[in-house]
Amino acid sequence: NYELATLYLETTLPDRAESHFLMALNFANSTGDKEGAARTHESLAYLAEYVWGNLNGTKEHYQMALQLYTELGDGKREEINAILGQLE
């Protein structure tokens, strides 16, 4: 679902992209795949910001990604934290 969602996003079909990202997020959450969930939250944040213009949704998804990357000890958390700082 994640790869298909990315394809839809690249081919300017954001509604389909969002639907598949949400399915991918549900799958990642149900299987305990924190890295997959974090990556998907990042993609949903991108959609919220650049496609829908939804700043609240953007922040929410980046905050979720940050929380998951922090739990994983992933260095990506610094990048996400910087993005959130720019959104303030």
Side-chain angles (χ1 to χ4, degrees):
N1 281 327
Y2 184 85
E3 287 78 15
L4 186 57
T6 302
L7 177 65
Y8 282 136
L9 184 58
E10 291 171 356
T11 57
T12 64
L13 295 169
D15 290 329
R16 287 190 176 178
E18 182 177 43
S19 174
H20 283 274
F21 280 133
L22 290 171
M23 284 190 275
L25 181 59
N26 185 43
F27 181 76
N29 286 335
S30 70
T31 60
D33 179 7
K34 289 183 180 183
E35 184 177 355
R39 184 179 63 173
T40 305
H41 275 295
E42 276 190 86
S43 297
L44 286 164
Y46 177 88
L47 264 174
E49 183 175 10
Y50 294 105
V51 176
W52 308 129
N54 178 349
L55 186 58
N56 288 333
T58 301
K59 288 179 181 178
E60 179 182 323
H61 285 295
Y62 276 134
Q63 287 168 343
M64 290 301 300
L66 177 62
Q67 178 183 338
L68 291 164
Y69 283 133
T70 299
E71 290 174 15
L72 292 167
D74 192 307
K76 185 110 176 160
R77 67 182 183 260
E78 294 171 12
E79 177 185 335
I80 301 299
N81 206 20
I83 291 170
L84 280 168
Q86 293 174 355
L87 293 174
E88 294 301 319

